[in-house]
Amino acid sequence: MNLVAGATGMLGTEICRLLASGGSPTRALVRNTSDPAKVENLDALGVEVVVGDLRDRASLDSACHGVRSVISTASSLVTGRDGDSIQTVDCDGQINLIDAAKSAGVEHFVLISFPEMNIDFPLQRAKRQVEQHLKVSGLKYTILQPTFFMEVWLSPGLGFNFPGAEAQIYGSGDKKISWISFKDVAKFAVESLKNPAAENAVIKLGGPEALSPLEVIGIFQDVFGKTFSVTNVPVEALEAQKAAAADPIQETFAALMLSYAIGDTIEMDETLKRFPVDLNSVKDYAYAVS
């Protein structure tokens, strides 16, 4: 039995879909406040749904009963629930889940994190603390560190308004990023459960090519047949936003935008030799949403 935490999120749902379609018994950890439509979708996939909360250790002990592997995608940045915070979910909550998994005799824990960024901010501190806790837990572990999800950062919600041929980019736009699809991260998570190369490993993940935001805009212009209007958010404005942040989540979003402005390239050749994953490109994504 596999347990997926954060199962109603974009990545968690895709992981559940892949596991279920491959015939692997899968349990989805959801909250009693989770979107009913998303829970129904998990049920339709043939996934066992269990109610729990990373902040409630007893519920995690119950969820981990009889489980062989745990995959955790949970994050306070996507839950949007009152009372959630980076400390309670991304740090203490993840540690609760690791400890519950160990107590229940779980064999393998797969944690979705992100690569080290050269900026200090609350979510990064939480991720590194949880990673270290997992490493010394005694559990077999895999820590996946994907870079920027194209479906998130190249979407209207974050200013990349491709339907309207408008793009807001952070910084100069000429720094390359190894954009990755959440669908490919899901593939790596599932592959990690059976691939010996994933045992007690930290694996950075990127897409098939590194592209600057300006190069991405060029691809979308070709696919959509439109000229995009481009707005740059200067690094100085992002630094000021981070300094003036009213809470850890605001500070984290500003830091992530700064990291985007700096760029983040990941070489995937060696990883793909060990993990047979066919990566989606930015052009694939552009055609999919066109």
Side-chain angles (χ1 to χ4, degrees), residues 10-11 14-15 17-18 149-151 180-190 277-280 284-285 288:
M10 178 179 68
L11 176 58
E14 178 66 7
I15 291 171
R17 187 190 69 80
L18 291 177
F149 287 14
M150 61 181 73
E151 294 89 353
I180 190 167
S181 171
F182 79 93
K183 295 179 181 179
D184 295 335
V185 178
K187 294 174 191 174
F188 276 104
V190 172
V277 172
D278 186 17
L279 297 174
N280 288 279
D284 294 332
Y285 169 59

Side-chain angles (χ1 to χ4, degrees), residues 123-139:
L123 184 60
Q124 171 147 255
R125 293 195 294 271
K127 292 291 188 184
R128 303 291 91 90
Q129 184 176 341
V130 171
E131 288 177 359
Q132 183 59 29
H133 189 81
L134 179 56
K135 288 176 182 178
V136 301
S137 68
L139 290 163

Side-chain angles (χ1 to χ4, degrees), residues 45-146:
L45 292 173
V47 172
E48 176 189 343
V49 174
V50 60
V51 176
D53 193 312
L54 293 187
R55 301 176 302 180
D56 177 5
R57 171 61 192 271
S59 72
L60 300 181
D61 289 333
S62 177
C64 288
H65 180 72
V67 167
R68 178 180 177 274
S69 301
V70 172
I71 302 176
S72 182
T73 73
S75 174
S76 62
L77 297 190
V78 296
T79 58
R81 195 178 84 161
D82 289 343
D84 282 348
S85 70
I86 289 171
Q87 185 64 44
T88 61
V89 175
D90 298 275
C91 187
D92 297 342
Q94 293 279 23
I95 288 172
N96 281 341
L97 183 57
I98 292 167
D99 291 346
K102 181 177 181 180
S103 293
V106 169
E107 296 177 17
H108 191 181
F109 196 107
V110 179
L111 175 70
I112 309 299
S113 184
F114 57 72
E116 186 80 29
M117 297 179 180
N118 193 28
I119 303 171
D120 179 54
F121 59 100
L123 184 60
Q124 171 147 255
R125 293 195 294 271
K127 292 291 188 184
R128 303 291 91 90
Q129 184 176 341
V130 171
E131 288 177 359
Q132 183 59 29
H133 189 81
L134 179 56
K135 288 176 182 178
V136 301
S137 68
L139 290 163
K140 180 169 68 174
Y141 68 85
T142 304
I143 298 170
L144 299 179
Q145 297 181 329

Side-chain angles (χ1 to χ4, degrees), residues 233-242 258:
V233 180
V235 167
E236 295 78 11
L238 297 171
E239 291 172 339
Q241 182 178 335
K242 181 177 182 296
L258 272 170

